[in-house]
């Protein structure tokens, strides 16, 4: 018997992979070393919300602040001034040299003294009132330290965390465990920490669990070891691909290598099962090549459909989801090339060793009989049809109840330290989630008066906006130029009132530099930019869409009525954390729908083409055009019917989320398209063997039994290995990873049940006639 190409070139293949291994490992290490997350970069620059946030950062300050405090931190606490001095010290960079972490540090004491000094000379009580809710607590006793990051501090986020604790240790009477700090700067750092916490341990545990399951299911340590090596190589290759493609690893993409690992195992399980079957039936000579021929069509099609499901995420406007889809789909396709190249060569080498030892090439445990399940499905097929339709309808209603959630609270577990700090700071000082309102007042003279309006009139407009927004229930505090100025009186008409206002207007104009210093006012040459900072409570988990709508509704009429103050063409810009979160929430639902519809549409077309491909011999034999059209039409409907068991798992799990009130997050939106692609894997194997059974002249019932015998065991094995392997990540501190893990677990097991019960019921029912060929149209 002629030697197969796998046998002849196996040593060359082994050498190529050994030489490639160091490059793969190096690329994988670089990907993990350069991992980092920036929540602000999740939306693309083309989005209006992103552009507004960048515009705001250019004119005022970037949203890179921290609020530090501790129990007993009052205006008279000497430790506050000492900590401020310690945090101002430069630190050593890993690359050498020194840098300061914070570009500015403002304490409640500093701000109070500034308001009470010249030129404002505010009474202490009035000054404290101006600071309540953002630098002073509601009872004027608790204060804090406001820290703004320097550019070097933002680049070296891991350093400022340690710098805060080290500085606290150097302050007499203050311990690091007492420090409470929260703010946008900490969010990204905590997301990185949560997503990487115990990641290596969970990865090792997942790999170990998969290997143990392979040992138990294969009952062959050598076969299990070969598949483990393949999966591990492909996992590292997916990480290396991130490095060599120029992407940066982030908290969401950390799931790519684990997903590639279990999907490689899934395809490998089918190859090994086909290898063992053919070795048992026809002997070990040429068994790897025969196994590849059996597995190639369904496995390649399965990999393609899964890649379609993954690549459908590339249409997302959320940057980490888009990167996940691109890298995962590319890695999966490359992994399948590796698997179909390396694994058969390993099987050839194993067969050679066993032949030399005069051992059986591959043990073949007694195959599981699936006739009992076939009997149940055959007798209850119409009940199964009704239940499947009921599940689709009920779960579809549940999908309409899905709501999205964004922000740091939806990404971290409820007991996370940062969330406890958020709650502590917001309870004792004030809210932390910002909505920035910027009033754009043109500086060009007005046509009617030749004047551009008085400074005091522009402040009156700010005061109107401040007052309207402060009345909203969901708004915690409003910080505007009014917090840094004396009370602005209403306009008057008497000579005395006009004279006072002229004097006050001059004083206010003289104090404009202080507003610029406080980042409340900017001049860009053609207009004045007046900042009004609105803060909402993160702990209350507002509906940010409603909050932003309420703010815009309250501000809109005030801006339109600005001409009453002699100010024309005034406009308002809304930016900051809440608009960004609101956009992310809206985009999540849009991306979920788009990715699922895209994946479902493309995979349905692929299934139709597959069904037509199975009938290509009959199409060639058909002499009349009407016969060919009849065959194509029947196969088209067959392709659509074959998608039913793939639709049910996704609808069932997502509908269950909606009914249970589980919010959609960035991890959840990745599951629908991905799970759809994975669910098609088993469907393809089952239908492939079903159609082969029909081609051999079997009845539908016999063809279903044949499909059960050829691939049902491998289907259950892949679901067990992949589902339980991914379920390990449900213990992650990063909610998107944990939710992705258990949702994939639920969808995988729902999918295998659908493929082993619902799909056979469909094939045995009236719709199964669509899969018949002209010569065996009878139904038995």
């Amino acid at each position: 018997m002629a030697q197969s190409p796998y046998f002849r070139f196996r040593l060359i293949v082994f050498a190529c992979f050994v030489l490639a291994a160091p490059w793969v490992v190096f690329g994988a290490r670089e990907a993990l070393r350069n991992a980092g997350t920036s929540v602000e970069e999740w939306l693309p620059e083309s989005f209006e919300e992103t552009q507004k946030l960048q515009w705001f950062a250019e004119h005022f300050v970037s949203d890179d602040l921290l609020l530090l405090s501790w129990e007993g931190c009052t205006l008279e606490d000497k430790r506050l001034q000492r900590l401020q001095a310690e945090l101002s010290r430069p630190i050593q960079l890993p690359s050498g040299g020194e840098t300061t972490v914070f570009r500015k540090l403002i304490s409640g004491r500093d701000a109070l003294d500034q308001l009470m000094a010249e030129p404002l000379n505010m009474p202490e009580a009035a000054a404290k009132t101006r600071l309540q809710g953002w630098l002073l607590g509601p009872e004027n006793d608790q204060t804090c330290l406001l820290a703004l990051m320097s550019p070097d501090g933002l680049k070296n986020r891991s350093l400022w965390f340690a710098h805060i604790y080290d500085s606290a240790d150097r302050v007499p009477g203050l311990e690091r465990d007492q420090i409470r700090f929260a703010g946008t700067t900490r969010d990204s750092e905590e997301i990185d920490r949560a997503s990487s916490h115990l990641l290596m341990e969970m990865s090792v545990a997942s790999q170990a669990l998969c290997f143990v399951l392979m040992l138990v299911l294969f009952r062959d340590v050598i076969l299990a070891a070969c598949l483990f090596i393949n999966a591990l190589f492909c996992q590292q290759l997916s990480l290396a691909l991130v490095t060599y493609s120029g992407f940066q690893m982030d908290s969401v993409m950390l799931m790519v290598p684990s997903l590639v690992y279990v999907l490689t195992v899934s395809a490998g399980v089918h190859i090994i099962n086909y290898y063992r079957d053919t070795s048992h039936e026809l002997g070990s000579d040429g068994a790897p090549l025969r196994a590849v021929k059996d597995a190639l069509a369904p496995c390649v099609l399965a990999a393609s459909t899964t890649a379609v499901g993954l690549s459908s995420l590339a249409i997302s406007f959320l940057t980490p989801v888009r990167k996940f889809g691109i890298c995962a789909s590319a890695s999966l396709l490359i992994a399948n090339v590796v698997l179909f190249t390396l694994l058969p060569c390993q099987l050839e080498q194993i067969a050679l060793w066993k032949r030399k030892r005069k051992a059986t090439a591959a043990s073949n445990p007694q195959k599981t009989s699936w006739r009992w399940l076939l009997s149940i499905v055959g007798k209850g097929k119409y009940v199964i049809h009704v239940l499947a339709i009921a599940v689709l309808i009920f779960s579809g209603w549940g999908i309409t109840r899905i709501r999205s959630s964004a922000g740091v609270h939806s990404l971290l577990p409820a007991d996370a330290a940062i969330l406890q700090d958020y709650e502590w700071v917001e309870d004792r000082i004030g809210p932390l989630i910002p909505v920035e309102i910027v009033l754009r007042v043109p500086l060009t003279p007005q046509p009617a008066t030749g004047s551009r309006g008085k400074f005091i009139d522009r402040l009156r407009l700010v005061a109107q906006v401040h007052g309207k927004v402060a009345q909203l229930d969901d708004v915690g505090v409003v910080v505007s130029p009014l917090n840094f100025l004396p009370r602005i009186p209403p306009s008057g008409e008497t000579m005395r009132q006009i004279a006072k206002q002229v004097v006050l207007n001059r004083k206010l104009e003289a104090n404009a530099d202080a507003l610029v210093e406080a980042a409340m006012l900017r001049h860009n040459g053609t207009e004045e930019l007046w900042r009004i900072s609105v803060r909402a409570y993160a702990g209350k988990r507002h509906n940010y869409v409603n909050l932003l709508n309420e703010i815009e509704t309250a501000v809109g009429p005030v801006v339109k009525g600005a001409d009453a103050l002699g100010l024309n063409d005034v406009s308002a810009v809304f930016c900051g954390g809440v608009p960004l979160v609101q956009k992310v929430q809206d985009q999540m639902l849009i991306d979920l729908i788009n990715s699922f519809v895209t994946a479902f549409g493309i995979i349905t077309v692929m299934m139709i083409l597959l069904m037509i491909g199975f009938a290509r011999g009959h199409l060639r034999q058909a002499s009349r055009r009407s016969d060919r059209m009849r065959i194509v039409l029947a196969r088209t409907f067959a392709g659509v019917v074959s998608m039913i068991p793939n639709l049910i798992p996704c609808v069932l799990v997502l509908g269950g989320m909606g009914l249970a009130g589980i919010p959609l997050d960035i991890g959840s939106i990745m599951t629908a398209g991905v799970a759809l692609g994975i669910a098609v894997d088993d469907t393809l194997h089952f239908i492939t063997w079903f159609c082969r059974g029909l081609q051999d002249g079997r009845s539908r019932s016999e063809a279903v039994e044949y499909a059960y015998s050829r691939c049902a065991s491998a289907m259950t094995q892949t679901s067990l290995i992949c589902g339980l392997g991914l379920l390990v990540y449900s213990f992650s501190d990063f909610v998107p990873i944990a939710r992705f893990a258990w949702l994939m677990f639920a969808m995988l097991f729902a999918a295998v049940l659908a493929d082993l019960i619902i799909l056979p019921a469909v094939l045995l029912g009236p719709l199964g006639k669509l899969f018949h060929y002209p010569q065996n149209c009878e139904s038995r």
Side-chain angles (χ1 to χ4, degrees):
M1 182 177 180
Q3 294 177 338
S4 74
Y6 288 114
F7 183 85
R8 293 198 304 270
F9 297 109
R10 71 190 189 285
L11 297 180
I12 296 176
V13 170
F14 294 156
C16 290
F17 279 95
V18 169
L19 291 174
W23 296 96
V24 171
V25 172
F26 171 79
R29 291 184 62 183
E30 286 296 299
L32 294 174
R33 188 175 68 86
N34 296 322
T37 301
S38 177
V39 179
E40 292 79 9
E41 296 175 358
W42 281 14
L43 291 176
E45 293 188 359
S46 59
F47 273 16
E48 183 182 2
E49 288 77 11
T50 309
Q51 294 173 355
K52 286 180 178 179
L53 194 61
Q54 293 174 347
W55 176 85
F56 177 81
E58 291 172 2
H59 288 86
F60 291 93
V61 293
S62 59
D63 202 11
D64 53 356
L65 58 85
L66 281 174
L67 217 60
L68 295 90
S69 188
W70 58 87
E71 200 69 58
C73 179
T74 65
L75 292 169
E76 309 305 325
D77 192 341
K78 302 298 183 184
R79 294 174 295 179
L80 183 61
Q81 185 177 0
R82 179 66 185 273
L83 179 62
Q84 186 174 357
E86 292 291 341
L87 291 173
S88 301
R89 289 185 178 185
I91 62 171
Q92 294 290 328
L93 290 172
S95 57
E98 293 183 341
T99 188
T100 54
V101 174
F102 304 107
R103 58 184 169 85
K104 193 169 186 179
L105 292 158
I106 308 168
S107 69
R109 181 79 261 175
D110 293 337
L112 184 65
D113 291 342
Q114 184 178 352
L115 292 176
M116 294 171 61
E118 290 287 346
L120 297 178
N121 293 321
M122 283 190 192
E124 182 176 356
K128 286 182 177 180
T129 300
R130 304 299 176 88
L131 300 178
Q132 280 183 357
W134 60 291
L135 284 176
L136 278 180
E139 303 299 329
N140 290 335
D141 53 352
Q142 188 77 35
T143 188
C144 61
L145 186 64
L146 182 65
L148 303 178
M149 303 297 294
S150 68
D152 285 339
L154 287 173
K155 293 177 184 177
N156 300 274
R157 290 188 311 197
S158 59
L159 298 179
W160 65 255
F161 211 98
H163 181 50
I164 290 174
Y165 286 133
D166 292 342
S167 298
D169 288 339
R170 292 193 294 268
V171 176
L174 185 63
E175 298 179 2
R176 63 172 58 197
D177 294 340
Q178 294 178 262
I179 297 291
R180 302 277 191 163
F181 56 102
T184 52
T185 303
R186 190 180 176 188
D187 294 349
S188 296
E189 179 66 20
E190 286 295 332
I191 289 172
D192 283 344
R193 284 174 175 268
S195 59
S196 60
H197 182 242
L198 298 179
L199 183 67
M200 185 60 68
E201 290 81 356
M202 288 186 291
S203 180
V204 171
S206 174
Q207 293 167 7
L209 179 59
C210 288
F211 183 69
V212 169
L213 289 171
M214 286 187 284
L215 280 177
V216 172
L217 296 171
F218 294 164
R219 300 179 187 178
D220 190 316
V221 66
I222 298 178
L223 290 178
C226 285
L227 183 51
F228 177 76
I229 291 170
N230 276 265
L232 191 61
F233 183 89
C234 292
Q235 180 194 49
Q236 296 297 301
L237 186 61
S238 68
L239 283 168
L241 183 65
V242 175
T243 298
Y244 297 129
S245 62
F247 283 116
Q248 183 184 15
M249 203 73 179
D250 59 35
S251 54
V252 176
M253 286 182 63
L254 287 172
M255 280 304 296
V256 170
S258 300
L259 184 64
V260 170
Y261 177 86
V262 295
L263 291 178
T264 304
V265 169
S266 174
V269 167
H270 283 286
I271 295 175
I272 287 177
N273 273 273
Y274 292 144
Y275 166 73
R276 299 175 77 179
D277 288 344
T278 189
S279 295
H280 179 72
E281 295 167 1
L282 301 174
S284 62
D285 288 338
L289 182 60
R290 293 195 300 272
V292 167
K293 289 180 179 178
D294 283 339
L296 188 62
C299 283
V300 169
L301 287 169
S304 301
T305 56
T306 306
V308 168
L310 289 164
S311 60
S312 68
L313 298 172
I315 66 175
S316 171
F317 284 101
L318 299 179
T319 302
V321 176
R322 184 172 66 251
K323 288 165 57 179
F324 177 92
I326 294 171
C327 290
S329 57
S331 298
L332 176 60
L333 294 176
I334 295 174
N336 270 265
V337 174
V338 171
L339 188 67
F340 274 91
T341 303
L342 182 57
L343 183 57
C345 291
Q346 292 171 323
L347 295 177
E348 287 283 9
Q349 188 64 43
I350 293 170
L352 177 62
W353 288 338
K354 292 192 173 184
R355 283 196 299 270
K356 288 181 178 180
R357 292 163 43 198
K358 297 182 180 180
T360 303
S363 61
N364 194 72
Q366 185 176 0
K367 296 184 86 55
T368 302
S369 174
W370 294 90
R371 290 182 178 177
W372 63 273
L373 184 57
L374 175 63
S375 175
I376 293 173
V377 171
K379 293 177 181 178
K381 56 181 177 290
Y382 295 111
V383 175
I384 295 172
H385 291 166
V386 172
L387 290 176
I389 294 172
V391 166
L392 279 173
I393 294 174
F394 188 66
S395 299
W397 175 68
I399 289 178
T400 64
R401 298 172 61 87
I402 286 182
R403 297 294 178 265
S404 59
S405 177
V408 69
H409 280 80
S410 65
L411 302 177
L412 301 171
D415 59 350
I418 184 176
L419 301 187
Q420 294 176 7
D421 284 359
Y422 259 103
E423 183 178 355
W424 189 94
V425 170
E426 292 191 330
D427 181 59
R428 288 164 176 77
I429 297 175
L432 294 169
I433 301 299
V435 180
E436 302 290 351
I437 305 171
V438 179
L439 298 179
R440 307 181 68 169
V441 182
L443 294 177
T444 53
Q446 304 300 322
T449 62
S451 168
R452 58 184 177 88
K454 297 177 182 178
F455 194 84
I456 193 172
D457 290 331
R458 299 196 287 278
L459 276 170
R460 287 194 176 105
L461 177 63
V462 172
Q464 291 180 19
V465 173
H466 184 126
K468 285 287 186 182
V469 174
Q471 295 174 9
L472 299 177
D473 293 336
D474 291 335
V475 170
V477 69
V478 181
V479 182
S480 75
L482 300 185
N483 294 73
F484 303 88
L485 296 173
R487 189 180 70 86
I488 308 299
S491 58
E493 298 181 356
T494 67
M495 292 297 294
R496 182 186 179 95
Q497 290 173 329
I498 293 173
K500 284 185 176 182
Q501 290 182 40
V502 170
V503 174
L504 179 59
N505 186 69
R506 290 174 181 172
K507 287 183 177 181
L508 293 172
E509 285 184 327
N511 198 49
D513 290 341
L515 296 179
V516 173
E517 176 67 20
M520 287 288 132
L521 174 63
R522 290 291 185 268
H523 302 269
N524 65 5
T526 60
E527 59 185 358
E528 277 182 345
L529 307 176
W530 294 85
R531 176 189 177 191
I532 303 164
S533 186
V534 182
R535 300 297 171 93
Y537 286 94
K540 292 183 178 180
R541 306 195 182 198
H542 296 286
N543 184 321
Y544 292 115
V545 178
N546 293 341
L547 175 60
L548 186 60
N549 289 337
E550 288 177 2
I551 292 174
E552 292 180 346
T553 301
V555 173
V558 178
V559 172
K560 290 181 180 179
D563 56 345
L565 297 170
L567 305 171
N568 295 331
D569 300 324
V570 176
S571 61
V573 177
F574 302 88
C575 51
V578 170
L580 197 63
V581 167
Q582 180 244 347
K583 184 62 178 182
V584 171
Q585 290 183 178
D586 291 346
Q587 197 62 46
M588 280 182 182
L589 290 173
I590 295 172
D591 288 348
L592 175 68
I593 296 170
N594 289 345
S595 67
F596 183 79
V597 170
T598 301
F600 187 84
I602 295 176
I603 293 174
T604 300
V605 172
M606 293 175 65
M607 294 297 290
I608 291 172
L609 294 176
L610 176 64
M611 293 297 104
I612 294 174
F614 279 127
R616 60 184 180 276
H618 299 282
L619 286 171
R620 286 195 296 266
Q621 295 173 5
S623 58
R624 293 182 300 180
R625 183 178 179 182
S626 59
D627 290 338
R628 292 194 296 270
M629 291 297 296
R630 182 170 57 87
I631 293 173
V632 171
L633 186 61
R635 309 309 286 174
T636 299
F637 282 114
V640 174
V641 168
S642 67
M643 291 299 294
I644 294 174
N646 305 313
L647 182 64
I648 289 176
C650 300
V651 174
L652 177 63
V653 175
L654 291 176
M657 285 181 61
L659 293 172
I662 301 172
L664 188 74
D665 62 19
I666 199 165
S668 307
I669 67 172
M670 300 187 299
T671 57
V674 176
L676 180 63
I678 295 175
V680 176
D681 290 8
D682 290 339
T683 302
L684 281 166
H685 284 279
F686 198 95
I687 285 183
T688 297
W689 289 107
F690 172 76
C691 290
R692 288 175 180 175
L694 292 179
Q695 287 175 328
D696 292 340
R698 292 179 172 88
S699 67
R700 277 191 288 152
S701 179
E702 292 169 343
V704 169
E705 183 180 2
Y706 181 62
Y708 271 131
S709 67
R710 299 297 299 189
C711 62
S713 296
M715 288 162 59
T716 54
Q717 289 173 6
T718 56
S719 296
L720 278 171
I721 295 171
C722 297
L724 293 175
L726 282 174
L727 192 61
V728 171
Y729 292 93
S730 64
F731 295 100
S732 173
D733 288 340
F734 189 50
V735 171
I737 290 179
R739 191 164 290 167
F740 179 81
W742 69 257
L743 282 177
M744 288 299 300
F745 171 82
M747 287 186 178
L748 282 170
F749 275 86
V752 75
L753 290 176
D755 284 321
L756 291 178
I757 297 175
I758 297 176
L759 178 59
V762 170
L763 296 176
L764 293 171
L767 292 176
K769 296 179 181 179
L770 296 170
F771 294 82
H772 266 297
Y773 298 100
Q775 75 268 27
N776 54 359
C777 292
E778 73 280 0
S779 176
R780 290 187 280 168

